[in-house]
Amino acid sequence: MSGSPDSAVTRRAFVVGAAAAAGSAALAGPLATAASAAGFGWSDDGSNYVVDTGASLVFKVSKTTGDLTSLAYKGTEYQGYGGKNSHIESGLGNSTVTLARSGSTILISVTHGTLRHYYAARSGENNVYLWTDKADSSVGATRYIVRVRAGLFLNDQPDSYTYTASTIEASDVFAKSDGQTRSKHYSKLRVIDYDYVGWTTGSVGLWIVRSNHEKASGGPFYRSLLRHQSADGGGLYEILYYGENQTEDERYGLQGPYVIAFTDGGAPASALYHGTLTTPWADSLGIAGYVPDSGRGRVAGVGITGRDTAYPYTVGLANGTAQYWAAARARDGYFSVSRILPGAYTLTVYKGELAVCSTQVTVSAGATTTLNTIAIPSSNDPSTATAIWRIGDWNGTPSGFKNADLMTYAHPSDVRAASWTGNVVIGSGTETSAFPCYLWKDVNSGLLVYFRLTAAQAAAAHTLRIGVTTAYANGRPQITVNDTWTSAIPAPPAQPSTRSLTVGSYRGNNHTFTYSVPASAWRTDTGQYNVLKINVVSGSGTTGYLSAGTAIDAIDLLA
């Protein structure tokens, strides 16, 4: 769900996207100042450092593991389910844990091998600030999970929690008795879509406010775990690196701050969001890898021409060590990306999620790099090519195709999914909505598309294009026309090697397959339909929805 909560849903879990952030601050009120608050301080109970924020929050951190062992707000304990603590990954184990106070800030530092993790408290605030500095691959995929006791928030969010009725895939996808599916993977949202994730009762809200993900991987459109609930409690995630359907190598370095925030029921204060949060109070705390705003730069572009104004455009910056993004302004394409680490970056302009232009840019500390108008060449947008017919939109996503929206929060076997089979007729008016967003070798390979050509069109060779957004097990399309001409099997493009289509993500590496169909393949009788058959081929995969498959962006036959 996105947007601010209303009175009808204040007891439900919800996520607010970036577009709604500006209107949410009034729900929580301004942040408490860092002036000394009564009770602010820390103690040692023998096993834990106990931090009292001087507001309504007291938390404990284990002196041996760095786990968060207690999270008490207004006297109610929220931490813990299944006997587990809140922590990095599934817990780091034996670590070196130290505490230091600097004025109105308390910092707890955790060292585990080459990984460093930090908790900070500010006097008078009901927040825990966290940073994680991962130097290498000695710790696996990196997440922080806040484990929340059962019964404190309603377990009624329909599509983003684990419901352990019966396992249908691996150990993390389940089916309810009514045929609906659940998994912790099914978040619905891309990273660019949300600022925080959590739950509210109407009088208490518990949230994780995400970091800017500058050291994460996957870009602005990546989807990953956000939260889950089950009979024994719930989990809130900040995913710093996750390998599922990942398109990039892991980046290393300091990530944060991200924030565990309590409120009186409303959304967390907007001053905590990654776009507006500043932490000059942390500049001198000695956090490994910390770079203050003075050591960062900015990129601003005066505009982008050649845009199709029917689509949103996003500007991304990325190199091997960091990533950033910002929306381009709808009316002229102006954009601004702030707080960037110095270095050389590839700047990419996305139409929807389809890369349509790129250039190089260098960022310097304390300076703004201003770019002149960026012009998108018309040849870079596949939509500008004249087509005899087209199914879908060239926007880098399967939006509009059958079951496309559902697949971001359900398994393909879900009872709510329309049939994955069925053929398509050009000119019917339902070409896109009737075409399945995903094709699998063992499920719906051999789908047929019927279309007519004029005599002039049938007398010429044409190029057929199939755009895909990801693939599983090297699934890729091979085509046959009128049972008389069959294309060669195309080489598989680079795609993530893990599950994708069954864990709520179509985001991989966009790729366009092109097929040169000779004139001899067409039927010359203009009253007859030509028949295009699309098969999924691969020597990998297993059966069913884990057979080789691919997600569709658009299909067209060029004039």
Side-chain angles (χ1 to χ4, degrees):
M1 299 172 62
S2 61
S4 299
D6 57 34
S7 59
V9 295
T10 53
R11 288 186 57 80
R12 299 190 66 182
F14 63 96
V15 174
V16 174
S24 61
L27 296 173
L31 281 174
T33 67
S36 180
F40 177 70
W42 66 277
S43 61
D44 183 339
D45 69 5
S47 299
N48 306 279
Y49 289 121
V50 183
V51 178
D52 187 333
T53 65
S56 300
L57 175 63
V58 178
F59 65 92
K60 299 180 181 181
V61 175
S62 168
K63 292 166 56 181
T64 56
T65 65
D67 288 358
L68 187 68
T69 61
S70 176
L71 196 60
Y73 178 67
K74 294 186 175 180
T76 298
E77 180 62 67
Y78 284 82
Q79 200 295 124
Y81 68 78
K84 298 178 180 180
N85 297 323
S86 300
H87 40 219
I88 287 288
E89 284 303 285
S90 297
L92 296 173
N94 190 49
S95 304
T96 300
V97 184
T98 60
L99 180 147
R101 175 171 176 172
S102 176
S104 56
T105 301
I106 293 172
L107 181 72
I108 297 176
S109 304
V110 182
T111 301
H112 180 82
T114 61
L115 184 140
R116 287 172 172 78
H117 179 70
Y118 303 91
Y119 302 89
R122 295 280 285 161
S123 177
E125 296 185 12
N126 291 314
N127 306 312
V128 183
Y129 297 85
L130 302 96
W131 287 264
T132 303
D133 180 26
K134 183 177 178 181
D136 53 42
S137 61
S138 58
V139 175
T142 309
R143 67 178 182 182
Y144 193 92
I145 178 170
V146 179
R147 301 186 187 273
V148 183
R149 293 173 56 198
L152 297 173
F153 299 98
L154 289 182
N155 186 11
D156 67 342
Q157 186 68 12
D159 297 309
S160 61
Y161 62 89
T162 301
Y163 191 99
T164 53
S166 60
T167 304
I168 59 173
E169 184 178 300
S171 59
D172 54 12
V173 183
F174 309 94
K176 293 175 60 178
S177 59
D178 63 4
Q180 293 191 14
T181 55
R182 299 289 190 265
S183 174
K184 63 184 179 182
H185 297 287
Y186 299 153
S187 68
K188 277 192 177 183
L189 300 177
R190 309 166 302 174
V191 177
I192 196 174
D193 295 328
Y194 71 94
D195 288 310
Y196 54 87
V197 59
W199 297 293
T200 180
T201 66
S203 59
V204 175
L206 172 55
W207 318 95
I208 280 190
V209 183
R210 76 167 175 87
S211 68
N212 68 351
H213 281 219
E214 71 180 359
K215 294 291 187 177
S217 298
F221 313 123
Y222 188 66
R223 298 172 188 265
S224 192
L225 289 69
L226 293 180
R227 63 180 172 205
H228 77 275
Q229 278 186 302
S230 57
D232 59 351
L236 298 179
Y237 297 89
E238 165 72 336
I239 298 296
L240 304 175
Y241 177 78
Y242 199 58
E244 199 82 66
N245 206 38
Q246 182 58 254
T247 59
E248 295 183 297
D249 292 335
E250 184 171 8
R251 295 180 172 94
Y252 298 114
L254 184 69
Q255 299 207 61
Y258 50 106
V259 187
I260 302 170
F262 280 93
T263 70
D264 289 336
S270 60
L272 293 176
Y273 301 167
H274 55 88
T276 56
L277 176 61
T278 59
T279 54
W281 50 266
D283 290 0
S284 59
L285 293 180
I287 295 172
Y290 182 93
V291 179
D293 281 1
S294 60
R296 296 169 176 269
R298 173 175 172 261
V299 172
V302 299
I304 303 171
T305 60
R307 293 172 299 118
D308 182 336
T309 56
Y311 299 89
Y313 283 73
T314 301
V315 176
L317 296 171
N319 60 22
T321 61
Q323 61 171 8
Y324 307 90
W325 55 80
R329 194 161 62 191
R331 71 172 183 266
D332 56 10
Y334 167 84
F335 62 90
S336 177
V337 188
S338 300
R339 295 176 182 154
I340 306 170
L341 293 173
Y345 292 85
T346 297
L347 182 152
T348 303
V349 178
Y350 297 92
K351 170 194 173 186
E353 296 184 19
L354 183 66
V356 291
C357 187
S358 66
T359 187
Q360 301 299 306
V361 61
T362 298
V363 178
S364 300
T368 295
T369 301
T370 302
L371 302 178
N372 294 325
T373 299
I374 296 174
I376 300 173
S378 61
S379 59
N380 286 15
D381 184 347
S383 298
T384 62
T386 302
I388 297 171
W389 53 260
R390 178 171 292 146
I391 304 173
D393 295 323
W394 290 98
N395 64 359
T397 81
S399 60
F401 285 95
K402 183 164 62 174
N403 295 325
D405 180 63
L406 180 67
M407 287 302 96
T408 63
Y409 60 93
H411 190 269
S413 65
D414 195 288
V415 68
R416 292 168 290 179
S419 172
W420 288 104
T421 58
N423 301 321
V424 175
V425 179
I426 300 298
S428 64
T430 60
E431 297 92 336
T432 301
S433 61
F435 198 104
C437 63
Y438 298 162
L439 299 176
W440 290 271
K441 184 177 180 180
D442 198 40
V443 175
N444 54 358
S445 184
L447 184 141
L448 303 179
V449 178
Y450 294 87
F451 59 97
R452 289 190 174 97
L453 297 176
T454 66
Q457 290 166 343
H462 297 283
T463 296
L464 185 123
R465 303 186 298 184
I466 300 179
V468 303
T469 66
T470 195
Y472 176 70
N474 286 331
R476 65 266 196 202
Q478 182 184 33
I479 67 168
T480 297
V481 177
N482 294 324
D483 290 327
T484 61
W485 180 87
T486 299
S487 72
I489 297 176
Q495 295 289 4
S497 59
T498 61
R499 288 179 297 164
S500 53
L501 308 182
T502 59
V503 291
S505 179
Y506 58 76
R507 175 79 273 123
N509 295 313
N510 285 97
H511 180 80
T512 301
F513 294 94
T514 60
Y515 309 86
S516 298
V517 184
S520 59
W522 310 123
R523 289 174 176 162
T524 56
D525 184 345
T526 58
Q528 284 188 305
Y529 280 108
N530 288 272
V531 183
L532 168 69
K533 178 186 287 187
I534 304 175
N535 289 308
V536 177
V537 295
S538 177
S540 304
T542 56
T543 60
Y545 299 111
L546 289 178
S547 64
T550 193
I552 304 299
D553 178 10
I555 304 172
D556 56 21
L557 183 67
L558 299 186

